[in-house]
Amino acid sequence: MDTDLGEIRGHVIVVMAPMGSGKGTIVRHALAKYPELRQTVSGTSRAMRPGEVDGQHYHFLSNAEFEQKIAAGEFLEWAEFAGNKYGTLKSEILPRILECDVVIVEIELQGVEQLLDLLPREHLTIVYIEAGGWEVLRARAESRAPMSAAELAARHERYLIEVQAKPIADIVIDNTGDINAATAAFDQVIEEAYKKCK
Ligand code: 5GP
């Protein structure tokens, strides 16, 4: 199909999940298994966290740099989340999906809604990872590291936003118990996407 972006041939897999749901593990497993699979590196105006690497976890931008890129039309989609801007750079995604490539994007709901308007529906699969409700995620997070009441409240607020993505998912992956079953289910999504492309 032709859009003003050019002819989209590849496939975009959007992965959405609440923080602490095992999304990272599932995505890393697929990236290791499929050598041609790529994940886009988003631009963000948020501060770098310890352990993050510029150009690897995000392209870290100042607010002014982010605004310049918006004005220059460099983002395919962008949104504000928890007081910071995040966006998918066209340079990260378009060269790949104009070829027969499969790309993973981890973005929040407002960004997904923009992609739904921009990309042909059959070239987009929305995956949500279900890891249990708030009580399960809270207990898991607290068992890893002690959290202040303020951190816990912020996490809960974020959970309530992230869980809103579930109804728009094409596929819900169950990660409430067996991580191997969850990675296998995600691999299946990747393989289906490659099949559509070839
Ligand atoms: P974090 O600050 O924890 O890395 O990410 C916060 C939220 O921003 C997550 O829900 C993540 O999926 C989302 N996000 C990351 N990159 C992008 C992007 O390029 N576009 C949009 N719309 N959201 C993004």
Side-chain angles (χ1 to χ4, degrees), residues 151-171:
E151 276 176 287
L152 204 57
R155 245 193 209 232
H156 188 216
E157 207 174 300
R158 182 171 167 159
Y159 168 80
L160 293 174
I161 295 169
E162 288 173 329
V163 81
Q164 289 170 20
K166 189 173 173 182
I168 68 156
D170 300 310
I171 295 165

Side-chain angles (χ1 to χ4, degrees), residues 99-115:
E99 298 297 322
C100 192
D101 279 344
V102 177
V103 292
I104 294 179
V105 298
E106 285 187 41
I107 63 178
E108 49 66 71
L109 193 53
Q110 303 164 77
V112 180
E113 282 165 351
Q114 293 170 56
L115 291 190

